[in-house]
Amino acid sequence: MSVRQTRMDSYQEFAKAARLSVSQIQDAANSVGAYSQSIGEDERRGAIPSLQDLLAQLDPMGDAAIRVRLAGPKVVAEEAHAVLEKCGKALGDLESYVGLVQSSPLMSVDSDDLVIMTEGPLIRYREVAASVGAVSNAIATFLDVARDHLDDWNGGPA
């Protein structure tokens, strides 16, 4: 197998795993959002997902990132690292959002009329959605850089 093919396979595997991870985070955020919006109704919609299950499903993305680092130029690996960092931020925001929803059983935390005093940043659904969007943008940047450096080796032609 050629270097080019090895790199292409590892880049595609990482992008696929990252997109799946983004989708899972978005699905979890949607479930928490539906649960939050249904507070006060007779029947709750959605559920609060288990973050441990979500974390376990993200392992393939980490494995694929290692393959990206082994396969090619450092600049591509750095973009994969940026995707991992943004995905970690999105997970952290989701965790904060889940904690906020769990701590407010009587009122939806996504209401603009609700005033919550907090020491740190207040993470609601829109912040989680913004983090997910940042991960999607990072994946697009990763793919652009990977495409540009497919034949490079340490900054020079292969």
Side-chain angles (χ1 to χ4, degrees):
M1 185 180 286
S2 72
V3 171
R4 180 183 176 90
Q5 188 62 45
T6 300
R7 287 180 178 177
M8 189 178 306
D9 291 347
S10 67
Y11 298 166
Q12 288 174 343
E13 179 185 356
F14 177 74
K16 180 180 174 184
R19 286 183 184 128
L20 180 61
S21 298
V22 167
S23 176
Q24 291 169 336
I25 293 169
Q26 184 66 56
D27 289 348
N30 289 343
S31 292
V32 176
Y35 179 88
S36 176
Q37 291 299 321
S38 67
I39 291 176
E41 296 179 5
D42 292 339
E43 188 176 320
R44 293 269 170 105
R45 295 185 311 256
I48 295 180
S50 165
L51 294 179
Q52 289 79 16
D53 293 342
L54 183 60
L55 284 172
Q57 294 171 355
L58 300 180
D59 280 346
M61 184 173 62
D63 294 342
I66 292 169
R67 285 191 222 24
V68 166
R69 179 62 189 117
L70 294 174
K74 185 177 180 182
V75 66
V76 178
E78 288 169 350
E79 291 302 324
H81 181 72
V83 171
L84 291 173
E85 283 183 334
K86 291 192 185 315
C87 194
K89 181 181 180 332
L91 277 170
D93 287 352
L94 177 62
E95 179 184 22
S96 295
Y97 181 50
V98 165
L100 183 62
V101 168
Q102 287 176 332
S103 68
S104 179
L106 303 175
M107 179 180 270
S108 172
V109 298
D110 291 312
S111 171
D112 289 331
D113 299 332
L114 181 64
V115 176
I116 300 174
M117 296 178 74
T118 179
E119 291 180 14
L122 183 62
I123 306 297
R124 296 183 185 176
Y125 180 82
R126 63 180 155 258
E127 286 80 17
V128 176
S131 293
V132 168
V135 178
S136 296
N137 291 339
I139 293 169
T141 302
F142 164 78
L143 288 171
D144 288 341
V145 170
R147 191 176 308 110
D148 291 344
H149 295 277
L150 194 58
D151 293 320
D152 287 2
W153 189 258
N154 291 332

